[in-house]
Amino acid sequence: DTEVTQTPKHLVMGMTNKKSLKCEQHMGHRAMYWYKQKAKKPPELMFVYSYEKLSINESVPSRFSPECPNSSLLNLHLHALQPEDSALYLCASSSTSGSWYEQYFGPGTRLTVT
Amino acid sequence: AQKVTQAQTEISVVEKEDVTLDCVYETRDTTYYLFWYKQPPSGELVFLIRRNSFDEQNEISGRYSWNFQKSTSSFNFTITASQVVDSAVYFCALSTIQGAQKLVFGQGTRLTINP
């Protein structure tokens, strides 16, 4: 099973709202990722969690707050977003053993900030 | 620094034609990994293949084949007898053993297969 699930599929929020994106995997992977993808662009890495600890933060604004409650779950808390934050947010997971780090992606959450 | 170039922004072919997607990469590391992902309109990136820098064997999986040439720093992807379901954006990506969790993506190639 190589499935990564994400909820919600679509989200519309105002600039003063607080919302959360959720991601779950049951592949036993110990690395989980958040990406942001704008239209016609490749995904941009935002955060990496390794063994439930934040290992990479690609200088993401503090209005995005990641959380990894356990090895299967990854959240992205959103607060005071800007319209330019509208994008597809993708979650991924990968193994951390050996050298093979292919990442398995979820279907994404399409976020619109109004 | 690592870089991946997919020079073909968009390709459009008629069903059953063969099509090759080009990928050229740059890295100073001697150990690195190359990947291809498919992103259909639904949005999910689907992992297709990985290749490490020590394995230059070409690979075939059904209608898909990959040609890895270190001499030209290329990792090209060919779809034989294309089908409408192959329509998607295809990304080539690179990671190194030093930054194994950072995928460097190319800009993607939008492939349209017309019936």
Side-chain angles (χ1 to χ4, degrees):
Chain A
D1 183 8
T2 56
E3 187 180 57
V4 177
T5 59
Q6 289 187 243
T7 55
K9 282 192 172 182
H10 300 273
L11 178 62
V12 179
M13 60 184 291
M15 290 189 285
T16 58
N17 291 161
K18 284 186 181 181
K19 297 286 185 183
S20 296
L21 309 184
K22 297 185 185 304
C23 173
E24 189 168 5
Q25 58 89 14
H26 294 288
M27 293 178 277
H29 289 165
R30 301 305 297 274
M32 296 186 76
Y33 309 74
W34 279 116
Y35 287 85
K36 173 182 177 180
Q37 187 179 23
K38 301 285 273 185
K40 299 191 176 183
K41 295 289 187 183
E44 298 174 31
L45 183 65
M46 299 175 71
F47 302 104
V48 181
Y49 273 82
S50 186
Y51 295 92
E52 296 90 72
K53 291 192 186 329
L54 184 64
S55 60
I56 297 176
N57 177 343
E58 293 287 273
S59 303
V60 178
S62 59
R63 57 185 184 269
F64 295 91
S65 175
E67 178 196 20
C68 190
N70 60 55
S71 60
S72 300
L73 291 174
L74 185 66
N75 298 322
L76 186 63
H77 303 298
L78 314 172
H79 173 56
L81 294 192
Q82 305 297 308
E84 59 265 29
D85 297 321
S86 298
L88 179 67
Y89 288 84
L90 292 161
C91 173
S93 71
S94 75
S95 172
T96 49
S97 60
S99 301
W100 302 112
Y101 289 149
E102 68 264 21
Q103 297 178 22
Y104 294 91
F105 286 80
T109 294
R110 290 194 184 273
L111 173 67
T112 303
V113 181
T114 60
Chain B
Q2 280 66 241
K3 185 178 179 182
V4 175
T5 301
Q6 294 179 255
Q8 304 149 310
T9 306
E10 296 192 26
I11 298 175
S12 181
V13 301
V14 177
E15 201 171 20
K16 297 184 184 175
E17 285 186 25
D18 298 347
V19 57
T20 295
L21 309 182
D22 297 333
C23 173
V24 174
Y25 62 91
E26 296 175 32
T27 180
R28 291 184 179 178
D29 290 51
T30 55
T31 302
Y32 52 89
Y33 308 97
L34 296 163
F35 307 87
W36 275 95
Y37 284 87
K38 173 183 180 180
Q39 187 172 37
S42 59
E44 179 177 354
L45 268 83
V46 178
F47 166 70
L48 296 178
I49 191 172
R50 67 164 185 260
R51 177 64 68 217
N52 78 37
S53 52
F54 299 113
D55 182 3
E56 287 194 71
Q57 271 193 321
N58 292 329
E59 179 146 347
I60 298 174
S61 176
R63 296 183 297 105
Y64 295 172
S65 62
W66 291 269
N67 181 286
F68 176 31
Q69 290 196 341
K70 282 180 77 170
S71 60
T72 56
S73 298
S74 65
F75 186 41
N76 296 336
F77 173 29
T78 297
I79 301 174
T80 302
S82 60
Q83 299 176 2
V84 172
V85 293
D86 296 325
S87 297
V89 179
Y90 290 85
F91 289 100
C92 181
L94 165 75
S95 70
T96 68
I97 200 165
Q98 298 302 324
Q101 293 177 324
K102 282 195 174 189
L103 279 176
V104 177
F105 285 94
Q107 290 299 302
T109 297
R110 180 174 299 276
L111 177 63
T112 302
I113 311 298
N114 299 297

